[in-house]
Amino acid sequence: MKRNNVRKQGNPKASSLSTAEEYQIHTLANGIRIAHKQVPYTQIAHCGIMLDIGSRDELPHQQGLAHFWEHMAFKGTEKRSSYHVINRLENVGGELNAYTTKEKICFHASVLDDHFEKAMDLLADITFHSVFPDKQIERERNVILEEMSMYVDSPEDAIQDDFDQLIFPDHALGSNILGTAETVNSFGREQLYEFINHNIDTERIVVSSVSRLPFSKVIRIAEKYLGGVPHRTTSRQRNAPLIYTPVRQERERPIQQAQVAMGQPAYALLDERRLPFFMLVNLLGGPGMNSRFNLSLREKYGFVYSIEANYTPYLDTGFTGIFFGTEKKQLNKSISLINKELKRIREVPLTTLQLHQTKVQLMGQLAMSEESNMSFMLMMAKSILDTGKVDSLPEIFGEIEQISAAQLQEIAMELFNEQNFSYLTFLPEE
């Protein structure tokens, strides 16, 4: 229940109508928005409640509390024990899950559409009526401490969390979503209620749904289980990170491979350069086997099993990183090859054919990602919270088509200058 990101290939020109163009929104009297996309070809209903609350909203002594709440929401409500929460949807073949990010908490479910009302009832119950029993707090505390140990034992995950701290030092965006052993051991019911009461804002909550059910029925069911939630707003302020200074660190770990993270802050969510930058990151180290980093470091030299570049935009800043593992003796050569590709993307503009291929690949990946109704349901909720709307594929494709090689080169010169990069390296212990 932790980390998530990106969208994914078919024929992007196959339809002039995006699924996003068909979504509908209704706002309850308490400010909670209901977003629904009706699809005629499925018997599965996907629904979720997404709150604009995440780990960046924690105070230093609260690190990990948003994630702790996500876990504890399943452990009993005013009318259900943890056993009944778990079995409510499992007994009808459904799934109940949740996740926490730096800026969001989401509780979501997937069921046969005959059981949509059961899912909405349960999601509303665990979101707004959890009671956080003391015994369950102690049990879940141990579970989360084990989860923390699991991530520490996985250097590929641990380096990403530690790298956040280098990029955003002394800021909540740099804190581990799981928290620390010290903070997790301090949490009790009082801390949970204090965090929820300080941060919950019904005007910053979206209920998202994708199914073949008509919108009118979804509204009726949502009104039944969420209409009684009191209207609440918060005076909470999110502060952007201040000055960034590149940092280089090496740490020895009991590992076999060297692990490397390199990157820097990037554009915020609403920056007009966000989409072309995402296209650049995709070209260099996206999921395609033909990414420039993969072709060089894996296919040509065999230095890595996998290498990825990613870009995570937040509301007021962003982050871009390159991550890979390699044998210690190949570490410097691998970094040199990456810097060579970064220099090439800065100094050599894409040809007309390269630009076209890069655009088509990205459009295909985006179209593929919207084939998943559950992914669309989650994306719809986040997009509405962040921007108030969901851009259609034709709109996004139109923006992609307008991107020029000169624009990409200008962005590359700004954000792919390795002199501005921070580096974190995990080295095998001697």
Side-chain angles (χ1 to χ4, degrees):
M1 299 182 182
K2 194 182 168 207
R3 201 181 272 280
N4 79 328
N5 258 5
V6 142
R7 299 171 162 204
K8 288 185 185 105
Q9 189 165 349
N11 181 355
K13 306 276 189 180
S15 172
S16 61
L17 180 66
S18 164
T19 51
E21 291 181 304
E22 302 167 7
Y23 76 95
Q24 297 169 281
I25 295 182
H26 173 79
T27 304
L28 302 179
N30 55 19
I32 295 175
R33 282 169 287 181
I34 315 300
H36 179 62
K37 159 91 171 82
Q38 186 176 13
V39 291
Y41 51 80
T42 181
Q43 292 181 286
I44 304 300
H46 303 282
C47 54
I49 298 179
M50 188 173 289
L51 304 95
D52 194 37
I53 304 170
S55 63
R56 73 170 298 176
D57 302 309
E58 299 162 347
L59 299 174
H61 68 279
Q62 297 176 323
Q63 287 181 24
L65 196 48
H67 176 256
F68 201 91
W69 171 22
E70 173 216 313
H71 275 243
M72 284 305 303
F74 293 79
K75 302 307 173 182
T77 69
E78 294 169 5
K79 65 180 182 181
R80 290 185 174 95
S81 67
S82 60
Y83 174 85
H84 290 105
V85 169
I86 291 170
N87 281 282
R88 178 69 170 165
L89 300 185
E90 295 281 349
N91 283 343
V92 295
E95 295 179 354
L96 177 66
N97 213 330
Y99 63 85
T100 305
T101 70
K102 304 279 185 176
E103 295 185 329
K104 303 288 184 286
I105 294 175
C106 182
F107 304 101
H108 60 97
S110 299
V111 292
L112 286 170
D113 53 24
D114 288 345
H115 305 295
F116 176 81
E117 184 167 351
K118 285 183 180 179
M120 189 63 70
D121 174 20
L122 184 61
L123 289 171
D125 199 25
I126 65 174
T127 304
F128 297 104
H129 305 292
S130 292
V131 293
F132 312 126
D134 288 332
K135 286 185 177 179
Q136 293 285 2
I137 286 177
E138 292 307 316
R139 289 173 186 162
E140 209 58 29
R141 190 192 320 281
N142 291 328
V143 169
I144 292 173
L145 290 172
E146 288 297 321
E147 185 178 359
M148 292 170 66
S149 297
M150 180 183 71
Y151 276 93
V152 170
D153 288 341
S154 173
E156 298 91 343
D157 292 316
I159 198 169
Q160 295 197 28
D161 289 325
D162 289 1
F163 196 51
D164 285 347
Q165 296 175 352
L166 257 65
I167 300 297
F168 302 115
D170 303 317
H171 192 277
L173 283 174
S175 299
N176 193 319
I177 291 172
L178 300 180
T180 68
E182 182 181 4
T183 56
V184 170
N185 276 313
S186 73
F187 297 153
R189 185 189 296 119
E190 182 179 341
Q191 286 77 19
L192 284 162
Y193 281 130
E194 180 184 9
F195 180 74
I196 293 168
N197 290 335
H198 179 71
N199 286 285
I200 204 160
D201 184 335
T202 51
E203 295 181 12
R204 302 294 302 162
I205 296 173
V206 168
V207 178
S208 183
S209 166
V210 175
S211 72
R212 65 179 179 180
L213 298 176
F215 190 38
S216 58
K217 185 172 183 177
V218 172
I219 293 174
R220 178 178 59 79
I221 293 172
E223 181 72 56
K224 179 178 178 180
Y225 295 103
L226 294 160
V229 174
H231 175 260
R232 298 175 62 178
T233 58
T234 179
S235 58
R236 178 197 74 192
Q237 294 290 322
R238 283 176 168 167
N239 299 313
L242 299 176
I243 299 172
Y244 164 73
T245 303
V247 178
R248 294 183 179 229
Q249 287 189 10
E250 291 184 352
R251 304 173 189 175
E252 288 193 350
R253 292 288 174 89
I255 53 179
Q256 299 299 312
Q257 269 193 327
Q259 294 289 331
V260 181
M262 47 195 291
Q264 68 169 65
Y267 304 125
L269 186 69
L270 300 180
D271 195 298
E272 62 183 11
R273 296 163 295 182
R274 179 181 63 89
L275 186 57
F277 181 61
F278 180 67
M279 191 166 84
L280 267 184
V281 172
N282 197 58
L283 169 66
L284 285 172
M289 293 292 287
N290 64 339
S291 74
R292 288 191 174 184
F293 290 155
N294 191 73
L295 289 175
S296 176
L297 276 79
R298 174 172 170 151
E299 299 300 325
K300 186 174 181 179
Y301 291 97
F303 286 170
V304 303
Y305 174 73
S306 66
I307 180 169
E308 67 172 270
N310 61 38
Y311 164 46
T312 304
Y314 301 113
L315 286 177
D316 47 14
T317 186
F319 161 79
T320 185
I322 301 164
F323 302 91
F324 67 95
T326 189
E327 295 296 321
K328 184 178 178 180
K329 63 183 180 181
Q330 297 161 174
L331 178 57
N332 291 333
K333 292 179 182 177
S334 297
I335 292 175
S336 294
L337 288 172
I338 290 171
N339 288 337
K340 180 180 178 181
E341 292 298 335
L342 294 176
K343 182 179 180 181
R344 181 157 71 107
I345 202 75
R346 292 195 308 268
E347 296 182 354
V348 182
L350 297 184
T351 65
T352 301
L353 178 59
Q354 288 172 333
L355 180 63
H356 172 73
Q357 290 172 335
T358 302
K359 291 177 178 180
V360 169
Q361 181 174 28
L362 180 58
M363 289 190 288
Q365 290 172 343
L366 294 175
M368 283 282 281
S369 71
E370 293 203 1
E371 286 292 299
S372 166
N373 287 335
M374 185 175 76
S375 295
F376 183 85
M377 180 270 295
L378 297 172
M379 181 276 292
M380 178 166 62
K382 183 179 185 301
S383 183
I384 291 170
L385 280 174
D386 288 343
T387 68
K389 62 175 184 173
V390 182
D391 290 330
S392 69
L393 281 180
E395 289 171 333
I396 297 171
F397 291 173
E399 291 181 43
I400 291 173
E401 291 286 11
Q402 296 302 310
I403 296 172
S404 68
Q407 184 182 14
L408 292 176
Q409 190 175 13
E410 182 180 341
I411 290 172
M413 292 177 68
E414 180 180 358
L415 288 187
F416 285 142
N417 182 349
E418 60 269 20
Q419 299 302 314
N420 296 327
F421 274 19
S422 289
Y423 291 77
L424 176 60
T425 307
F426 289 174
L427 294 172
E429 291 178 344
E430 295 293 340

